């Protein structure tokens, strides 16, 4: 963006077929991952331009949003006849980094199951941090540019695109990961492979399944049928099972159709469950 200090008139040219934000008032972003993204933006960006960007997003001024590895592109109709070109870039992780992330995610059975079911577990941020890779960018991790002459950063056109992007994340959480360089289908295939695959679970061609047990006649097992499969000495050497997450019930049950300030109830209750678990351990 140029530094001329020129500002376009406040009334943009109305367009048909633009991407109109569903939110008509208050904050934009309904799910925890989109709210996380918006909260970061609203902490680091100019509040005035973010406000004008929300108005642009709600008026349908954003055209042709495209999300790819490391880059979001869009056009935004302002007061000039030609729409402005907007780009928002972040670091897309390479194959080696995604291999580490996939292994870390697959190692957590519950997170793997949620992702395979199309859900984004809140703990995924901790998995990314454990690999030294942030899931969401801060202002320094965003490479933003707009063809408009407004020297403010981000301008209202960029802000509008960021809010529309947050609602796109609402619709499909895997777009967050696609922006970081891993498409949904590729990630799910990698998780299935790391966990043995759907064919394994069903006892298919991928290998022995969960319920594949050798069919040995009972007469051949009379001598050792009641013996443990592992010696008592080996059992004593084994470590204990990992503790149950305090918010397991919140994860397992369907969330109620309620929200407070557009934040889902389970996200509000999760810290309380954690506190109760810590007090119980004390």
């Amino acid at each position: 963006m140029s530094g001329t200090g020129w500002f376009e008139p406040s009334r943009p040219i109305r367009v048909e077929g633009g991407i109109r934000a569903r939110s008509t008032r208050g904050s934009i972003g309904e799910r925890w991952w989109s709210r996380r993204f918006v909260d970061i933006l609203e902490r680091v960006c100019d509040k005035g331009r973010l406000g004008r960007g929300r108005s642009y997003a709600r008026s349908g001024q954003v055209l042709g949003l495209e999300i790819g590895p490391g880059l979001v592109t869009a056009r935004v109709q302002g007061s000039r006849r030609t729409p402005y070109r907007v780009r928002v870039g972040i670091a897309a992780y390479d194959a080696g980094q995604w291999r580490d992330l996939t292994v870390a995610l697959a190692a957590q059975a519950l997170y793997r199951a949620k992702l395979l079911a199309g859900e984004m577990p809140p703990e995924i941020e901790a998995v990314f941090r454990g690999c030294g890779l942030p899931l969401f960018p801060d202002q320094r991790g965003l490479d933003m540019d707009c063809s408009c002459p407004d020297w403010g950063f981000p301008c209202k056109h960029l802000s509008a695109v960021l809010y529309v992007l947050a609602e796109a994340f609402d619709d499909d959480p895997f777009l967050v990961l696609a922006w970081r360089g891993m498409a949904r289908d590729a990630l799910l295939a990698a998780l299935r492979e790391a966990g043995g695959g759907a064919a394994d679970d069903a006892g298919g061609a991928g290998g022995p399944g969960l319920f594949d047990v050798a069919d040995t006649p009972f007469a051949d097992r009379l001598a050792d049928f009641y013996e443990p499969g592992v010696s008592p000495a080996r059992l004593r050497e084994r470590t204990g099972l990992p503790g149950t997450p305090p918010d397991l019930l919140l994860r397992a049950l369907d969330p109620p159709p309620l929200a407070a300030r557009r934040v889902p109830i389970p996200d509000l209750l999760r810290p309380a469950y954690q506190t109760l678990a810590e007090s119980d351990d004390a």
Side-chain angles (χ1 to χ4, degrees), residues 247 250 264-274:
D247 61 343
L250 293 177
I265 295 299
D267 290 352
L268 294 175
L269 292 177
R270 191 164 283 110
Y273 276 67
Q274 184 65 45

Side-chain angles (χ1 to χ4, degrees), residues 20-92:
R20 188 183 298 271
R22 292 186 300 272
S23 166
T24 58
R25 58 183 301 178
S27 299
I28 291 179
E30 298 178 356
R31 310 302 293 271
W32 75 262
W33 52 86
S34 55
R35 281 304 316 164
R36 180 84 173 86
F37 178 63
V38 169
D39 287 345
I40 294 171
L41 298 177
E42 293 181 345
R43 282 201 305 269
V44 301
C45 296
D46 178 77
K47 289 181 172 52
R49 285 183 171 84
L50 285 175
R52 291 190 287 275
R54 280 195 298 270
S55 297
Y56 266 52
R58 287 166 173 154
S59 299
Q61 301 301 117
V62 177
L63 309 169
L65 185 75
E66 298 288 341
I67 303 173
L71 184 65
V72 169
T73 58
R75 293 175 299 121
V76 180
Q77 181 64 63
S79 62
R80 292 186 174 183
R81 185 178 300 276
T82 302
Y84 298 117
R85 298 181 304 277
V86 172
R87 59 179 298 278
V88 185
I90 60 170

Side-chain angles (χ1 to χ4, degrees), residues 218 220-230 232:
F218 179 70
D220 296 342
R221 296 292 310 276
L222 289 175
D224 63 352
F225 185 78
Y226 292 104
E227 292 183 3
V230 180

Side-chain angles (χ1 to χ4, degrees), residues 114-127:
K114 280 185 170 290
L115 286 166
L116 290 173
E119 301 177 32
M120 179 83 83
E123 298 82 2
I124 193 173
E125 280 194 276
V127 175

